[in-house]
C-alpha cells in the first residue's frame, strides 16, 4: 500500500521543529520549478518539465480568452473599477466551463482593455482525462492500471485537511493520494513563525501519523511519501512596479503586461516598446532587485517554449520582495511568498518517506511521477521520462 501526501508550500526547514512524526522519516530537499504552484503541479503529475507540458503560469496570452466578451460591449473596457471586475469575472465563469484548480480568476489590477488577451493555461482539473491532451499523467496511468486508489481533497469539496482527516485507511485500496492545500494559504497570510501555521503543521503531522498507524495494522508492506512543491520566503519589501515606469515618465499599463508577485511579463508590439520596457526594468535590475530572464535561465529551468505566449520580456523580482498591485490583488497583507529562484534555502521543498530515499543532491518534481507509480506497484515502461525513481 502507498500513502501519498502532497502538502502545498511545506518547506524543508519547517519539518524538524514543528512536525515530530514527519521528522522521524527519511528526508530530502526538493527543488521547485522556477514558477508558481501551477507549473509545479503540471510537472509532478506528468514527470515532464514546463517546456514540455507548456504550463508555466495560470495565465498565458492566447486567442481563447474567457474574457473576450469584455471587448464586445462598447466602452465597458474603460470601466476599471473593482465591483465591475468582480461582476465580469463571475460572468466569465458562468459562460465558460473551466474545471481547473485555479479556474478563471479575476485579473484584479489589470486594466479591462487587456483582459481579452489572456486565457488560463488549464481548462480542466489535473485528474481529468483531458488534462494536457495526449500527455500522460499520474492520474491517467492510475486509471488505466487497474490499481485501486482513492484521491482525497483534489476536488475542493470541503477543506482539504478536513476531508483527509475524515478518510479512514481501508484494506481494499493500493494507493491513497491526499492533497493538503491549506498550508500555502496560511503561509502567505500569516508567515512561518505564526501560531496559525504552527498549529496547522501539528494537525497535518498528527493526521499523517494516525493514517500511517492505521495502514500499518492492515499491511506491513507500506510506503509513505509526503512531499511539497516549494518552500516559502518571508517578504520584507513591497514594490509598485509602476513607480519605476513613472521615473522614466511612462506608465506600466501602456504595455500589455501581467504583473504577479515575483514575475512581471510583457508582450511588446515592436522594438521601441521593448526598449522602453527594458529601460524601466533596468532601474530595478541596477538595484540588484531582479533580472530579465535570458537564455541561460530558460535552459537551466527547462523553460524553452517555442512561442511567446508566456511573455516577450519576463522579469523576475528577487526575494524577499514582492510586487504589489498585481493581477491577484493589492498585496498589502502578504507575509510570505514563493516563486523565487528554486535554489534559495528557504524556497526548498521537502520529500519524506518511511523507505530509504535514493542518494540524490535534491529531489526534482519530475521524479515524483516515476517514484509514486513504482511505489504503488506500477511498472512504468515510458522511456521518455527523465525523472529518477527515488524509492527502490
Ligand atoms: Zn504550491
Amino acid at each position: 500500500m502507498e500513502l501519498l501526501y502532497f502538502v502545498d508550500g511545506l518547506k524543508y526547514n519547517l519539518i524538524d521543529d514543528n512536525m515530530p512524526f514527519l521528522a522521524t522519516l527519511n528526508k530530502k530537499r526538493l527543488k521547485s520549478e522556477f514558477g508558481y504552484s501551477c507549473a509545479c503541479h503540471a510537472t509532478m503529475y506528468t514527470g515532464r518539465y514546463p517546456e514540455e507540458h507548456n504550463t508555466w503560469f495560470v495565465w498565458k496570452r492566447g486567442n481563447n480568452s474567457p474574457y473576450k466578451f469584455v471587448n464586445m460591449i462598447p466602452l465597458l473596457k474603460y470601466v476599471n473599477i473593482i465591483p465591475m471586475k468582480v461582476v465580469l469575472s463571475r460572468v466569465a465563469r458562468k459562460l465558460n466551463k473551466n474545471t481547473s484548480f485555479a479556474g478563471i480568476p479575476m485579473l484584479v489590477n489589470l486594466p479591462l482593455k487587456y483582459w481579452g488577451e489572456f486565457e488560463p493555461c488549464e481548462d480542466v482539473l489535473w485528474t481529468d482525462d483531458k488534462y494536457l491532451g495526449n500527455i500522460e499523467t499520474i492520474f491517467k496511468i492510475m486509471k488505466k492500471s487497474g490499481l485501486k486508489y482513492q484521491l482525497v481533497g483534489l476536488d475542493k469539496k470541503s477543506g482539504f485537511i478536513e476531508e483527509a482527516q475524515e478518510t479512514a485507511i481501508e484494506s481494499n485500496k493500493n494507493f491513497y493520494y491526499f492533497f493538503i492545500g491549506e498550508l500555502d494559504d496560511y503561509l502567505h497570510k500569516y508567515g512561518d513563525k505564526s501560531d496559525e501555521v504552527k498549529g496547522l503543521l501539528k494537525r497535518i503531522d498528527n493526521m499523517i501519523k494516525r493514517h500511517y498507524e492505521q495502514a500499518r495494522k492492515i499491511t506491513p508492506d507500506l510506503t509513505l511519501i509526503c512531499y511539497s512543491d516549494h518552500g516559502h520566503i518571508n517578504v520584507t519589501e513591497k514594490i509598485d512596479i509602476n513607480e519605476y515606469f513613472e521615473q522614466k515618465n511612462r506608465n506600466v499599463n501602456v504595455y500589455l503586461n501581467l504583473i504577479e508577485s515575483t514575475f512581471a511579463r510583457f508582450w511588446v508590439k515592436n522594438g521601441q516598446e521593448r526598449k522602453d520596457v527594458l529601460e524601466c526594468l533596468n532601474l530595478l535590475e541596477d538595484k540588484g532587485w531582479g533580472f530579465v530572464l535570458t537564455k541561460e535561465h530558460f535552459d537551466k529551468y527547462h523553460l524553452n517554449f517555442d512561442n511567446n505566449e508566456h511573455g516577450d520580456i519576463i522579469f523576475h523580482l528577487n526575494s524577499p520582495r514582492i510586487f504589489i498591485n498585481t493581477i491577484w490583488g493589492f498585496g498589502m497583507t502578504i507575509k510570505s511568498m514563493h516563486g523565487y529562484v528554486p535554489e534559495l534555502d528557504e524556497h526548498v521543498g521537502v520529500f519524506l518517506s518511511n523507505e530509504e530515499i535514493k542518494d540524490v543532491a535534491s529531489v526534482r518534481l519530475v521524479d515524483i511521477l516515476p517514484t509514486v507509480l513504482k511505489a504503488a506497484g506500477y511498472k512504468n515502461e515510458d522511456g521518455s521520462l527523465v525523472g529518477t525513481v527515488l524509492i527502490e
Side-chain angles (χ1 to χ4, degrees):
M1 183 186 283
E2 178 177 4
L3 298 180
L4 177 66
Y5 297 83
F6 166 74
V7 185
D8 196 336
L10 182 57
K11 70 174 164 183
Y12 185 88
N13 293 347
L14 285 175
I15 305 294
D16 285 354
D17 292 342
N18 298 287
M19 307 183 93
F21 174 68
L22 291 186
T24 64
L25 302 176
N26 296 309
K27 178 165 98 227
K28 283 266 180 265
R29 300 164 72 82
L30 179 143
K31 195 176 128 188
S32 185
E33 298 298 359
F34 191 25
Y36 300 109
S37 302
C38 171
C40 296
H41 281 275
T43 297
M44 66 207 204
Y45 297 144
T46 62
R48 296 176 191 282
Y49 286 115
E51 62 199 10
E52 270 192 88
H53 57 63
N54 200 26
T55 307
W56 190 6
F57 297 92
V58 168
W59 291 96
K60 63 180 180 183
R61 194 168 183 199
N63 296 321
N64 300 308
S65 175
Y67 289 123
K68 263 187 185 168
F69 71 94
V70 174
N71 294 327
M72 291 171 192
I73 305 162
L75 302 178
L76 180 61
K77 62 187 176 195
Y78 302 108
V79 191
N80 276 300
I81 52 169
I82 293 292
M84 177 57 83
K85 289 178 169 178
V86 172
V87 171
L88 293 175
S89 56
R90 277 194 199 136
V91 172
R93 285 193 282 274
K94 281 258 182 306
L95 294 176
N96 297 272
K97 200 173 172 299
N98 184 313
T99 58
S100 72
F101 193 77
I104 303 172
M106 171 162 106
L107 293 153
V108 181
N109 284 294
L110 184 71
L112 282 171
K113 63 179 176 179
Y114 293 147
W115 283 30
E117 296 288 330
F118 298 109
E119 62 182 62
C121 277
E122 299 176 333
D123 314 314
V124 293
L125 192 62
W126 308 302
T127 49
D128 198 301
D129 285 343
K130 292 193 283 298
Y131 180 68
L132 295 179
N134 294 328
I135 300 178
E136 285 287 10
T137 66
I138 231 168
F139 305 108
K140 291 179 199 172
I141 296 171
M142 283 274 175
K143 215 178 257 182
K144 282 185 275 187
S145 69
L147 292 168
K148 294 186 198 70
Y149 62 92
Q150 186 172 346
L151 310 175
V152 183
L154 277 150
D155 51 8
K156 295 198 275 190
K157 270 190 196 129
S158 55
F160 309 104
I161 186 160
E162 268 79 29
E163 216 179 316
Q165 277 174 324
E166 283 162 16
T167 304
I169 308 300
E170 289 164 0
S171 58
N172 59 356
K173 305 256 166 56
N174 311 103
F175 176 79
Y176 285 86
Y177 179 38
F178 295 94
F179 181 96
I180 317 283
E182 287 96 340
L183 180 63
D184 185 58
D185 297 338
Y186 272 55
L187 284 162
H188 282 305
K189 206 165 152 190
Y190 304 114
D192 67 348
K193 305 281 186 292
S194 65
D195 290 344
E196 287 86 352
V197 164
K198 286 176 188 237
L200 181 60
L201 292 171
K202 193 161 277 174
R203 268 177 83 193
I204 295 170
D205 191 62
N206 282 336
M207 178 190 68
I208 298 177
K209 181 174 185 233
R210 193 166 50 79
H211 282 167
Y212 182 73
E213 285 165 356
Q214 275 176 12
R216 258 278 133 89
K217 283 184 196 140
I218 295 167
T219 173
D221 181 18
L222 175 65
T223 301
L224 168 73
I225 296 172
C226 173
Y227 76 104
S228 63
D229 48 351
H230 50 77
H232 252 265
I233 298 185
N234 288 316
V235 170
T236 57
E237 202 170 345
K238 299 185 177 182
I239 289 166
D240 183 350
I241 196 169
N242 195 40
E243 284 178 17
Y244 296 86
F245 279 72
E246 282 175 347
Q247 283 184 26
K248 294 281 178 189
N249 296 316
R250 296 186 186 119
N251 185 302
V252 69
N253 286 328
V254 166
Y255 312 95
L256 182 61
N257 70 72
L258 285 178
I259 311 296
E260 301 186 55
S261 298
T262 63
F263 286 92
R265 296 182 285 154
F266 295 87
W267 290 260
V268 290
K269 289 198 207 84
N270 50 47
Q272 185 60 47
E273 278 204 1
R274 174 179 291 274
K275 202 170 145 265
D276 292 350
V277 169
L278 287 174
E279 208 173 84
C280 301
L281 295 175
N282 276 344
L283 294 173
L284 290 161
E285 213 162 330
D286 288 347
K287 288 175 178 286
W289 289 358
F291 53 87
V292 173
L293 273 67
T294 62
K295 187 174 180 305
E296 183 199 330
H297 306 104
F298 297 132
D299 287 347
K300 184 174 179 190
Y301 299 114
H302 304 275
L303 299 166
N304 280 304
F305 301 99
D306 54 11
N307 56 57
N308 71 340
E309 58 190 17
H310 300 291
D312 290 319
I313 299 170
I314 301 169
F315 179 84
H316 172 66
L317 185 66
N318 290 335
S319 77
R321 296 175 190 85
I322 55 165
F323 286 127
I324 53 169
N325 303 328
T326 69
I327 59 169
W328 298 102
F330 297 92
M332 300 319 284
T333 57
I334 293 174
K335 292 221 167 59
S336 178
M337 189 43 70
H338 52 94
Y340 296 109
V341 177
E343 291 80 8
L344 292 170
D345 189 50
E346 292 290 296
H347 201 280
V348 169
V350 69
F351 182 93
L352 301 139
S353 180
N354 63 328
E355 304 277 352
E356 200 176 315
I357 306 168
K358 198 168 178 183
D359 190 19
V360 289
S362 61
V363 170
R364 304 162 301 169
L365 287 165
V366 289
D367 302 331
I368 299 298
L369 176 139
T371 301
V372 164
L373 287 176
K374 173 87 195 297
Y378 176 80
K379 196 170 174 329
N380 179 48
E381 275 156 2
D382 184 349
S384 71
L385 291 175
V386 293
T388 303
V389 174
L390 299 163
I391 296 170
E392 287 300 339

